[in-house]
Amino acid sequence: MAATQFVVNGLLVGALFAGVAVGFALIWGVVDIINLAHGEMVMLGGYTSYWVLTLITGNAEGSPLLFLATIPVAIAVLFGIGYALQRTLVSRVIGTDIFLTLLVTFGASIAIQQLAIQAWSANPRSIQVSFADPSMTLAGIVVPKMKLVAFAGALVLTALMYVFLQKTRTGRAIRAVSQNPEAAALVGIDVEHTRAVTFGVSSAIAGGIGTFIAVILNIQPQMGLIYTLKSFIIVVFGGVGSIPGALIGGLLLGSVEELVAGFASSQWTLAVSFSLLIVLLILKPKGLFGQEAEQ
């Protein structure tokens, strides 16, 4: 029963990891860079929701519906930040040495962290959502209602992004740029604008996930690195360029980490995750569902 409880908890949290990783995979696949500032978009999304709710209620507390109403605001704000970041900074290093792109995105990550610390201090914060009964029991398994809402929200955001990429004109342009930027430009697609939109969409979904993290965990300016690392593990695990792979990879990672934390210690979770990543790269370099990740 304990193992089942840990797996359920892992699946609920893993959906959030998967949602963050999907945005990370999108930038990697389309813009062809590893965005080390991706975790900071999660952090900024959480803070956006926190401060919007504080502005409305006077403190970071409210009903579930009021909290959900802050999510579109966070998504819109983070889309703008992501778009601007790509246009002003990242676009200057696309196509250059991979170490330069890593250095630039790492520098952006540190800058955002420090600005957040100066603006909001390093104290952890969280959003309090009121439920008459905060949890429910199903077949002996305790399921916190807010974690269930976050799980559903993460799946909805991931599904919406998948539909956006597959069914919309902009989504098809993004996939075209991902496959062949030169050919996309020849048929009239504005490649730089499309890459900036991709950065914006990736940041937006990360920000949306960040709002849920602000409720079920907490937020603080230096939280971004851990979500960048988890995203990297999930994307390589599921396969570079595969959204379904990222979703399944996130759910699996969440389950593994909860089992490790439950039966051993939470201090071992990241070590176990990277160990599994190394084993997978040896046995199956393409990941579970995607393209080869040899680089």
Side-chain angles (χ1 to χ4, degrees), residues 54-100:
T54 300
L55 183 64
I56 296 173
T57 65
N59 51 45
E61 299 180 7
S63 66
L65 288 178
L66 187 58
F67 159 70
L68 292 174
T70 67
I71 297 176
V73 179
I75 289 174
V77 169
L78 267 295
F79 177 88
I81 291 174
Y83 188 96
L85 184 64
Q86 199 281 337
R87 277 296 203 183
T88 59
L89 187 63
V90 177
S91 62
R92 301 177 186 274
V93 295
I94 291 176
T96 61
D97 186 79
I98 185 173
F99 294 106
L100 181 58

mmCIF file of all heavy atoms in Angstrom, residues 54-100:
data_model
loop_
_atom_site.group_PDB
_atom_site.id
_atom_site.type_symbol
_atom_site.label_atom_id
_atom_site.label_comp_id
_atom_site.label_asym_id
_atom_site.label_seq_id
_atom_site.Cartn_x
_atom_site.Cartn_y
_atom_site.Cartn_z
ATOM 1 N N THR A 54 -2.218 38.110 -4.907
ATOM 2 C CA THR A 54 -2.002 39.045 -3.800
ATOM 3 C C THR A 54 -2.631 40.400 -4.106
ATOM 4 O O THR A 54 -3.224 41.047 -3.219
ATOM 5 C CB THR A 54 -0.494 39.219 -3.537
ATOM 6 O OG1 THR A 54 0.071 37.954 -3.198
ATOM 7 C CG2 THR A 54 -0.247 40.201 -2.414
ATOM 8 N N LEU A 55 -2.541 40.848 -5.347
ATOM 9 C CA LEU A 55 -3.136 42.120 -5.745
ATOM 10 C C LEU A 55 -4.649 42.093 -5.615
ATOM 11 O O LEU A 55 -5.279 43.083 -5.223
ATOM 12 C CB LEU A 55 -2.745 42.437 -7.195
ATOM 13 C CG LEU A 55 -3.224 43.762 -7.776
ATOM 14 C CD1 LEU A 55 -2.607 44.937 -7.028
ATOM 15 C CD2 LEU A 55 -2.911 43.852 -9.261
ATOM 16 N N ILE A 56 -5.252 40.940 -5.917
ATOM 17 C CA ILE A 56 -6.709 40.829 -5.874
ATOM 18 C C ILE A 56 -7.233 40.683 -4.450
ATOM 19 O O ILE A 56 -8.211 41.324 -4.061
ATOM 20 C CB ILE A 56 -7.175 39.635 -6.731
ATOM 21 C CG1 ILE A 56 -6.835 39.879 -8.206
ATOM 22 C CG2 ILE A 56 -8.684 39.386 -6.570
ATOM 23 C CD1 ILE A 56 -7.095 38.686 -9.093
ATOM 24 N N THR A 57 -6.576 39.836 -3.658
ATOM 25 C CA THR A 57 -7.117 39.476 -2.342
ATOM 26 C C THR A 57 -6.392 40.138 -1.172
ATOM 27 O O THR A 57 -6.874 40.088 -0.039
ATOM 28 C CB THR A 57 -7.063 37.950 -2.143
ATOM 29 O OG1 THR A 57 -5.685 37.533 -2.111
ATOM 30 C CG2 THR A 57 -7.778 37.231 -3.271
ATOM 31 N N GLY A 58 -5.245 40.744 -1.432
ATOM 32 C CA GLY A 58 -4.462 41.311 -0.341
ATOM 33 C C GLY A 58 -3.456 40.336 0.232
ATOM 34 O O GLY A 58 -2.538 40.732 0.958
ATOM 35 N N ASN A 59 -3.624 39.058 -0.041
ATOM 36 C CA ASN A 59 -2.641 38.038 0.327
ATOM 37 C C ASN A 59 -2.744 36.910 -0.701
ATOM 38 O O ASN A 59 -3.660 36.899 -1.518
ATOM 39 C CB ASN A 59 -2.880 37.492 1.747
ATOM 40 C CG ASN A 59 -4.328 37.050 1.939
ATOM 41 O OD1 ASN A 59 -4.898 36.391 1.083
ATOM 42 N ND2 ASN A 59 -4.916 37.416 3.070
ATOM 43 N N ALA A 60 -1.827 35.998 -0.670
ATOM 44 C CA ALA A 60 -1.790 34.942 -1.692
ATOM 45 C C ALA A 60 -2.703 33.792 -1.301
ATOM 46 O O ALA A 60 -2.296 32.633 -1.236
ATOM 47 C CB ALA A 60 -0.366 34.453 -1.894
ATOM 48 N N GLU A 61 -3.965 34.106 -1.067
ATOM 49 C CA GLU A 61 -4.956 33.103 -0.710
ATOM 50 C C GLU A 61 -6.209 33.339 -1.537
ATOM 51 O O GLU A 61 -6.533 34.478 -1.890
ATOM 52 C CB GLU A 61 -5.296 33.161 0.782
ATOM 53 C CG GLU A 61 -4.118 32.891 1.703
ATOM 54 C CD GLU A 61 -4.516 32.974 3.166
ATOM 55 O OE1 GLU A 61 -5.729 33.106 3.435
ATOM 56 O OE2 GLU A 61 -3.620 32.907 4.026
ATOM 57 N N GLY A 62 -6.922 32.258 -1.834
ATOM 58 C CA GLY A 62 -8.144 32.410 -2.607
ATOM 59 C C GLY A 62 -8.807 31.080 -2.888
ATOM 60 O O GLY A 62 -8.305 30.016 -2.518
ATOM 61 N N SER A 63 -9.920 31.149 -3.563
ATOM 62 C CA SER A 63 -10.657 29.944 -3.933
ATOM 63 C C SER A 63 -9.971 29.272 -5.125
ATOM 64 O O SER A 63 -9.166 29.898 -5.820
ATOM 65 C CB SER A 63 -12.089 30.305 -4.301
ATOM 66 O OG SER A 63 -12.106 31.099 -5.484
ATOM 67 N N PRO A 64 -10.301 28.018 -5.378
ATOM 68 C CA PRO A 64 -9.716 27.348 -6.553
ATOM 69 C C PRO A 64 -9.999 28.084 -7.856
ATOM 70 O O PRO A 64 -9.115 28.200 -8.709
ATOM 71 C CB PRO A 64 -10.389 25.962 -6.523
ATOM 72 C CG PRO A 64 -10.704 25.727 -5.086
ATOM 73 C CD PRO A 64 -11.071 27.078 -4.545
ATOM 74 N N LEU A 65 -11.223 28.604 -8.022
ATOM 75 C CA LEU A 65 -11.562 29.303 -9.261
ATOM 76 C C LEU A 65 -10.774 30.594 -9.408
ATOM 77 O O LEU A 65 -10.334 30.950 -10.507
ATOM 78 C CB LEU A 65 -13.070 29.596 -9.303
ATOM 79 C CG LEU A 65 -13.987 28.393 -9.526
ATOM 80 C CD1 LEU A 65 -15.451 28.822 -9.493
ATOM 81 C CD2 LEU A 65 -13.667 27.713 -10.859
ATOM 82 N N LEU A 66 -10.567 31.302 -8.309
ATOM 83 C CA LEU A 66 -9.799 32.540 -8.368
ATOM 84 C C LEU A 66 -8.346 32.236 -8.720
ATOM 85 O O LEU A 66 -7.725 32.957 -9.513
ATOM 86 C CB LEU A 66 -9.878 33.270 -7.026
ATOM 87 C CG LEU A 66 -9.256 34.673 -6.975
ATOM 88 C CD1 LEU A 66 -9.905 35.583 -8.011
ATOM 89 C CD2 LEU A 66 -9.393 35.264 -5.575
ATOM 90 N N PHE A 67 -7.812 31.172 -8.148
ATOM 91 C CA PHE A 67 -6.448 30.778 -8.501
ATOM 92 C C PHE A 67 -6.350 30.417 -9.978
ATOM 93 O O PHE A 67 -5.424 30.854 -10.677
ATOM 94 C CB PHE A 67 -6.005 29.587 -7.648
ATOM 95 C CG PHE A 67 -4.859 28.819 -8.250
ATOM 96 C CD1 PHE A 67 -3.594 29.373 -8.297
ATOM 97 C CD2 PHE A 67 -5.059 27.561 -8.807
ATOM 98 C CE1 PHE A 67 -2.531 28.687 -8.879
ATOM 99 C CE2 PHE A 67 -4.015 26.867 -9.384
ATOM 100 C CZ PHE A 67 -2.744 27.429 -9.414
ATOM 101 N N LEU A 68 -7.293 29.637 -10.476
ATOM 102 C CA LEU A 68 -7.254 29.224 -11.880
ATOM 103 C C LEU A 68 -7.337 30.431 -12.815
ATOM 104 O O LEU A 68 -6.778 30.407 -13.918
ATOM 105 C CB LEU A 68 -8.387 28.247 -12.170
ATOM 106 C CG LEU A 68 -8.276 26.869 -11.504
ATOM 107 C CD1 LEU A 68 -9.527 26.044 -11.761
ATOM 108 C CD2 LEU A 68 -7.036 26.129 -12.003
ATOM 109 N N ALA A 69 -8.020 31.492 -12.356
ATOM 110 C CA ALA A 69 -8.141 32.694 -13.184
ATOM 111 C C ALA A 69 -6.802 33.412 -13.345
ATOM 112 O O ALA A 69 -6.632 34.204 -14.286
ATOM 113 C CB ALA A 69 -9.168 33.643 -12.572
ATOM 114 N N THR A 70 -5.837 33.154 -12.456
ATOM 115 C CA THR A 70 -4.524 33.806 -12.583
ATOM 116 C C THR A 70 -3.634 33.099 -13.611
ATOM 117 O O THR A 70 -2.639 33.684 -14.055
ATOM 118 C CB THR A 70 -3.779 33.820 -11.227
ATOM 119 O OG1 THR A 70 -3.419 32.479 -10.846
ATOM 120 C CG2 THR A 70 -4.654 34.429 -10.137
ATOM 121 N N ILE A 71 -3.972 31.879 -13.984
ATOM 122 C CA ILE A 71 -3.104 31.108 -14.877
ATOM 123 C C ILE A 71 -2.988 31.751 -16.260
ATOM 124 O O ILE A 71 -1.874 31.872 -16.788
ATOM 125 C CB ILE A 71 -3.586 29.649 -14.965
ATOM 126 C CG1 ILE A 71 -3.475 28.988 -13.589
ATOM 127 C CG2 ILE A 71 -2.778 28.864 -16.004
ATOM 128 C CD1 ILE A 71 -4.019 27.578 -13.532
ATOM 129 N N PRO A 72 -4.097 32.173 -16.906
ATOM 130 C CA PRO A 72 -3.940 32.837 -18.213
ATOM 131 C C PRO A 72 -3.063 34.085 -18.152
ATOM 132 O O PRO A 72 -2.343 34.385 -19.114
ATOM 133 C CB PRO A 72 -5.384 33.188 -18.596
ATOM 134 C CG PRO A 72 -6.231 32.216 -17.851
ATOM 135 C CD PRO A 72 -5.517 31.995 -16.558
ATOM 136 N N VAL A 73 -3.108 34.800 -17.029
ATOM 137 C CA VAL A 73 -2.253 35.985 -16.881
ATOM 138 C C VAL A 73 -0.783 35.571 -16.885
ATOM 139 O O VAL A 73 0.050 36.171 -17.577
ATOM 140 C CB VAL A 73 -2.591 36.739 -15.585
ATOM 141 C CG1 VAL A 73 -1.681 37.962 -15.431
ATOM 142 C CG2 VAL A 73 -4.050 37.159 -15.579
ATOM 143 N N ALA A 74 -0.463 34.534 -16.110
ATOM 144 C CA ALA A 74 0.922 34.051 -16.056
ATOM 145 C C ALA A 74 1.378 33.558 -17.423
ATOM 146 O O ALA A 74 2.512 33.818 -17.849
ATOM 147 C CB ALA A 74 1.041 32.934 -15.015
ATOM 148 N N ILE A 75 0.514 32.866 -18.132
ATOM 149 C CA ILE A 75 0.862 32.350 -19.462
ATOM 150 C C ILE A 75 1.151 33.506 -20.418
ATOM 151 O O ILE A 75 2.137 33.474 -21.164
ATOM 152 C CB ILE A 75 -0.273 31.449 -19.992
ATOM 153 C CG1 ILE A 75 -0.313 30.131 -19.206
ATOM 154 C CG2 ILE A 75 -0.114 31.180 -21.488
ATOM 155 C CD1 ILE A 75 -1.491 29.244 -19.559
ATOM 156 N N ALA A 76 0.302 34.534 -20.390
ATOM 157 C CA ALA A 76 0.493 35.678 -21.283
ATOM 158 C C ALA A 76 1.785 36.429 -20.958
ATOM 159 O O ALA A 76 2.555 36.802 -21.860
ATOM 160 C CB ALA A 76 -0.704 36.615 -21.189
ATOM 161 N N VAL A 77 2.030 36.653 -19.672
ATOM 162 C CA VAL A 77 3.237 37.376 -19.262
ATOM 163 C C VAL A 77 4.485 36.610 -19.674
ATOM 164 O O VAL A 77 5.441 37.173 -20.217
ATOM 165 C CB VAL A 77 3.228 37.622 -17.738
ATOM 166 C CG1 VAL A 77 4.593 38.125 -17.265
ATOM 167 C CG2 VAL A 77 2.141 38.620 -17.372
ATOM 168 N N LEU A 78 4.491 35.291 -19.440
ATOM 169 C CA LEU A 78 5.678 34.493 -19.751
ATOM 170 C C LEU A 78 5.870 34.330 -21.257
ATOM 171 O O LEU A 78 7.013 34.221 -21.725
ATOM 172 C CB LEU A 78 5.591 33.147 -19.063
ATOM 173 C CG LEU A 78 6.269 33.069 -17.685
ATOM 174 C CD1 LEU A 78 7.780 33.262 -17.812
ATOM 175 C CD2 LEU A 78 5.715 34.108 -16.719
ATOM 176 N N PHE A 79 4.780 34.333 -22.021
ATOM 177 C CA PHE A 79 4.948 34.320 -23.475
ATOM 178 C C PHE A 79 5.707 35.566 -23.918
ATOM 179 O O PHE A 79 6.640 35.484 -24.725
ATOM 180 C CB PHE A 79 3.597 34.251 -24.181
ATOM 181 C CG PHE A 79 3.718 34.308 -25.688
ATOM 182 C CD1 PHE A 79 3.896 33.144 -26.418
ATOM 183 C CD2 PHE A 79 3.666 35.520 -26.371
ATOM 184 C CE1 PHE A 79 4.038 33.183 -27.807
ATOM 185 C CE2 PHE A 79 3.800 35.571 -27.755
ATOM 186 C CZ PHE A 79 3.974 34.397 -28.474
ATOM 187 N N GLY A 80 5.324 36.719 -23.381
ATOM 188 C CA GLY A 80 6.007 37.963 -23.729
ATOM 189 C C GLY A 80 7.466 37.954 -23.324
ATOM 190 O O GLY A 80 8.337 38.396 -24.081
ATOM 191 N N ILE A 81 7.760 37.430 -22.131
ATOM 192 C CA ILE A 81 9.149 37.371 -21.669
ATOM 193 C C ILE A 81 9.972 36.443 -22.561
ATOM 194 O O ILE A 81 11.087 36.776 -22.965
ATOM 195 C CB ILE A 81 9.202 36.908 -20.199
ATOM 196 C CG1 ILE A 81 8.614 37.987 -19.284
ATOM 197 C CG2 ILE A 81 10.640 36.578 -19.788
ATOM 198 C CD1 ILE A 81 8.487 37.566 -17.837
ATOM 199 N N GLY A 82 9.420 35.281 -22.878
ATOM 200 C CA GLY A 82 10.133 34.330 -23.729
ATOM 201 C C GLY A 82 10.383 34.879 -25.120
ATOM 202 O O GLY A 82 11.484 34.729 -25.672
ATOM 203 N N TYR A 83 9.369 35.518 -25.684
ATOM 204 C CA TYR A 83 9.513 36.099 -27.023
ATOM 205 C C TYR A 83 10.611 37.167 -27.018
ATOM 206 O O TYR A 83 11.477 37.194 -27.895
ATOM 207 C CB TYR A 83 8.185 36.707 -27.471
ATOM 208 C CG TYR A 83 8.169 37.171 -28.909
ATOM 209 C CD1 TYR A 83 7.675 36.348 -29.919
ATOM 210 C CD2 TYR A 83 8.636 38.439 -29.266
ATOM 211 C CE1 TYR A 83 7.657 36.774 -31.243
ATOM 212 C CE2 TYR A 83 8.624 38.866 -30.581
ATOM 213 C CZ TYR A 83 8.131 38.035 -31.572
ATOM 214 O OH TYR A 83 8.126 38.454 -32.879
ATOM 215 N N ALA A 84 10.563 38.044 -26.014
ATOM 216 C CA ALA A 84 11.553 39.120 -25.941
ATOM 217 C C ALA A 84 12.955 38.574 -25.696
ATOM 218 O O ALA A 84 13.937 39.075 -26.264
ATOM 219 C CB ALA A 84 11.175 40.097 -24.827
ATOM 220 N N LEU A 85 13.066 37.539 -24.877
ATOM 221 C CA LEU A 85 14.373 36.957 -24.589
ATOM 222 C C LEU A 85 15.009 36.379 -25.851
ATOM 223 O O LEU A 85 16.213 36.556 -26.097
ATOM 224 C CB LEU A 85 14.221 35.860 -23.526
ATOM 225 C CG LEU A 85 15.505 35.193 -23.028
ATOM 226 C CD1 LEU A 85 16.391 36.205 -22.312
ATOM 227 C CD2 LEU A 85 15.166 34.036 -22.095
ATOM 228 N N GLN A 86 14.199 35.729 -26.668
ATOM 229 C CA GLN A 86 14.741 35.162 -27.893
ATOM 230 C C GLN A 86 15.140 36.260 -28.883
ATOM 231 O O GLN A 86 16.203 36.193 -29.504
ATOM 232 C CB GLN A 86 13.716 34.210 -28.524
ATOM 233 C CG GLN A 86 14.295 33.220 -29.531
ATOM 234 C CD GLN A 86 14.558 33.835 -30.894
ATOM 235 O OE1 GLN A 86 13.963 34.840 -31.247
ATOM 236 N NE2 GLN A 86 15.433 33.208 -31.669
ATOM 237 N N ARG A 87 14.287 37.255 -29.025
ATOM 238 C CA ARG A 87 14.547 38.320 -29.997
ATOM 239 C C ARG A 87 15.782 39.144 -29.636
ATOM 240 O O ARG A 87 16.566 39.536 -30.509
ATOM 241 C CB ARG A 87 13.331 39.243 -30.074
ATOM 242 C CG ARG A 87 12.218 38.753 -30.990
ATOM 243 C CD ARG A 87 12.674 38.701 -32.435
ATOM 244 N NE ARG A 87 11.559 38.757 -33.380
ATOM 245 C CZ ARG A 87 11.694 38.672 -34.676
ATOM 246 N NH1 ARG A 87 12.890 38.538 -35.220
ATOM 247 N NH2 ARG A 87 10.651 38.716 -35.484
ATOM 248 N N THR A 88 15.968 39.421 -28.352
ATOM 249 C CA THR A 88 17.028 40.344 -27.948
ATOM 250 C C THR A 88 18.346 39.651 -27.624
ATOM 251 O O THR A 88 19.412 40.265 -27.740
ATOM 252 C CB THR A 88 16.594 41.148 -26.705
ATOM 253 O OG1 THR A 88 16.297 40.235 -25.634
ATOM 254 C CG2 THR A 88 15.367 41.988 -27.006
ATOM 255 N N LEU A 89 18.299 38.374 -27.245
ATOM 256 C CA LEU A 89 19.510 37.722 -26.754
ATOM 257 C C LEU A 89 19.823 36.418 -27.488
ATOM 258 O O LEU A 89 20.890 36.271 -28.094
ATOM 259 C CB LEU A 89 19.378 37.461 -25.248
ATOM 260 C CG LEU A 89 20.613 36.923 -24.529
ATOM 261 C CD1 LEU A 89 21.751 37.930 -24.600
ATOM 262 C CD2 LEU A 89 20.274 36.606 -23.074
ATOM 263 N N VAL A 90 18.898 35.484 -27.450
ATOM 264 C CA VAL A 90 19.179 34.139 -27.961
ATOM 265 C C VAL A 90 19.405 34.153 -29.469
ATOM 266 O O VAL A 90 20.239 33.399 -29.991
ATOM 267 C CB VAL A 90 18.031 33.169 -27.583
ATOM 268 C CG1 VAL A 90 18.277 31.780 -28.175
ATOM 269 C CG2 VAL A 90 17.901 33.076 -26.063
ATOM 270 N N SER A 91 18.677 34.999 -30.189
ATOM 271 C CA SER A 91 18.803 35.031 -31.647
ATOM 272 C C SER A 91 20.229 35.365 -32.100
ATOM 273 O O SER A 91 20.633 35.011 -33.204
ATOM 274 C CB SER A 91 17.829 36.058 -32.233
ATOM 275 O OG SER A 91 18.124 37.364 -31.772
ATOM 276 N N ARG A 92 20.996 36.024 -31.237
ATOM 277 C CA ARG A 92 22.357 36.428 -31.592
ATOM 278 C C ARG A 92 23.345 35.263 -31.576
ATOM 279 O O ARG A 92 24.452 35.384 -32.114
ATOM 280 C CB ARG A 92 22.841 37.523 -30.642
ATOM 281 C CG ARG A 92 21.958 38.769 -30.657
ATOM 282 C CD ARG A 92 22.435 39.801 -29.650
ATOM 283 N NE ARG A 92 21.516 40.927 -29.573
ATOM 284 C CZ ARG A 92 21.555 41.984 -30.380
ATOM 285 N NH1 ARG A 92 22.477 42.050 -31.318
ATOM 286 N NH2 ARG A 92 20.675 42.960 -30.250
ATOM 287 N N VAL A 93 22.962 34.154 -30.913
ATOM 288 C CA VAL A 93 23.909 33.035 -30.795
ATOM 289 C C VAL A 93 23.398 31.766 -31.469
ATOM 290 O O VAL A 93 24.054 30.729 -31.413
ATOM 291 C CB VAL A 93 24.222 32.738 -29.310
ATOM 292 C CG1 VAL A 93 24.936 33.919 -28.678
ATOM 293 C CG2 VAL A 93 22.961 32.393 -28.529
ATOM 294 N N ILE A 94 22.227 31.823 -32.120
ATOM 295 C CA ILE A 94 21.716 30.650 -32.830
ATOM 296 C C ILE A 94 22.648 30.318 -33.990
ATOM 297 O O ILE A 94 23.049 31.187 -34.759
ATOM 298 C CB ILE A 94 20.285 30.911 -33.344
ATOM 299 C CG1 ILE A 94 19.314 31.003 -32.172
ATOM 300 C CG2 ILE A 94 19.837 29.795 -34.296
ATOM 301 C CD1 ILE A 94 17.900 31.342 -32.571
ATOM 302 N N GLY A 95 22.992 29.057 -34.108
ATOM 303 C CA GLY A 95 23.874 28.622 -35.175
ATOM 304 C C GLY A 95 25.352 28.746 -34.854
ATOM 305 O O GLY A 95 26.200 28.367 -35.668
ATOM 306 N N THR A 96 25.673 29.271 -33.664
ATOM 307 C CA THR A 96 27.075 29.365 -33.256
ATOM 308 C C THR A 96 27.453 28.121 -32.454
ATOM 309 O O THR A 96 26.711 27.141 -32.406
ATOM 310 C CB THR A 96 27.310 30.630 -32.419
ATOM 311 O OG1 THR A 96 26.496 30.568 -31.234
ATOM 312 C CG2 THR A 96 26.922 31.871 -33.208
ATOM 313 N N ASP A 97 28.590 28.177 -31.805
ATOM 314 C CA ASP A 97 29.072 27.043 -31.015
ATOM 315 C C ASP A 97 28.105 26.730 -29.875
ATOM 316 O O ASP A 97 27.561 27.640 -29.236
ATOM 317 C CB ASP A 97 30.453 27.371 -30.458
ATOM 318 C CG ASP A 97 31.085 26.186 -29.759
ATOM 319 O OD1 ASP A 97 31.610 25.291 -30.445
ATOM 320 O OD2 ASP A 97 31.020 26.152 -28.513
ATOM 321 N N ILE A 98 27.909 25.442 -29.597
ATOM 322 C CA ILE A 98 26.955 25.034 -28.571
ATOM 323 C C ILE A 98 27.349 25.572 -27.196
ATOM 324 O O ILE A 98 26.483 25.914 -26.378
ATOM 325 C CB ILE A 98 26.815 23.487 -28.527
ATOM 326 C CG1 ILE A 98 25.719 23.085 -27.533
ATOM 327 C CG2 ILE A 98 28.137 22.815 -28.204
ATOM 328 C CD1 ILE A 98 25.397 21.617 -27.546
ATOM 329 N N PHE A 99 28.639 25.692 -26.928
ATOM 330 C CA PHE A 99 29.075 26.192 -25.624
ATOM 331 C C PHE A 99 28.718 27.664 -25.451
ATOM 332 O O PHE A 99 28.451 28.117 -24.336
ATOM 333 C CB PHE A 99 30.574 25.969 -25.448
ATOM 334 C CG PHE A 99 30.953 24.517 -25.374
ATOM 335 C CD1 PHE A 99 31.578 23.900 -26.445
ATOM 336 C CD2 PHE A 99 30.655 23.764 -24.248
ATOM 337 C CE1 PHE A 99 31.910 22.557 -26.385
ATOM 338 C CE2 PHE A 99 30.981 22.424 -24.182
ATOM 339 C CZ PHE A 99 31.613 21.806 -25.254
ATOM 340 N N LEU A 100 28.709 28.408 -26.539
ATOM 341 C CA LEU A 100 28.306 29.812 -26.465
ATOM 342 C C LEU A 100 26.827 29.926 -26.128
ATOM 343 O O LEU A 100 26.435 30.762 -25.305
ATOM 344 C CB LEU A 100 28.618 30.516 -27.785
ATOM 345 C CG LEU A 100 28.270 32.018 -27.838
ATOM 346 C CD1 LEU A 100 29.000 32.771 -26.736
ATOM 347 C CD2 LEU A 100 28.606 32.589 -29.206
#
